[in-house]
Amino acid sequence: MKKQLYSIKDDLSFDFEPPFAAVTDVACLRMGSSQIQSEINSFNRGTVEYDPKPQHSTRSLYYIGSFDTDTGAILSDGPIFICKLCDAENTYQSLLAKL
């Protein structure tokens, strides 16, 4: 089985974070959208000391390749820009509408 590999790039430092796997772009965006919403809800409840919204506008999601779980092979196809994290929910909804 092949899984897609993704990474988040900090647009200010130009560094990529460690990669993570998801089966599809839709699954990746669903994970990202729920994480972002959780961070925003935590901020609104006053449980964190920073507003995550500006941070999400300076970080971008990229497809960087694939991982074959049968052979262990990693293939690099990227990086290919998917969206800014602040746009993850809208991108997710757009991809769902195309299914």
Side-chain angles (χ1 to χ4, degrees):
M1 171 184 221
K2 285 194 178 180
K3 292 195 175 189
Q4 309 304 318
L5 293 176
Y6 301 90
S7 182
I8 294 173
K9 180 181 179 187
D10 184 317
D11 297 330
L12 298 177
S13 68
F14 304 107
D15 291 333
F16 281 90
E17 295 179 6
F20 59 95
V23 177
T24 64
D25 288 352
V26 172
C28 174
L29 287 164
R30 182 175 56 219
M31 291 185 308
S33 295
S34 62
Q35 175 64 33
I36 290 167
Q37 193 57 48
S38 173
E39 290 178 15
I40 291 170
N41 289 341
S42 293
F43 174 75
N44 290 337
R45 287 192 306 267
T47 58
V48 294
E49 297 178 7
Y50 72 97
D51 182 350
K53 293 173 195 168
Q55 181 186 27
H56 294 151
S57 67
T58 62
R59 297 170 73 214
S60 301
L61 177 66
Y62 283 82
Y63 165 80
I64 60 170
S66 61
F67 172 64
D68 188 323
T69 60
D70 295 329
T71 66
I74 295 174
L75 301 174
S76 178
D77 301 330
I80 299 169
F81 175 80
I82 295 176
C83 68
K84 293 256 187 211
L85 288 188
C86 60
D87 298 328
E89 187 172 346
N90 292 336
T91 304
Y92 171 68
Q93 294 298 334
S94 175
L95 288 175
L96 277 181
K98 293 178 183 177
L99 293 179

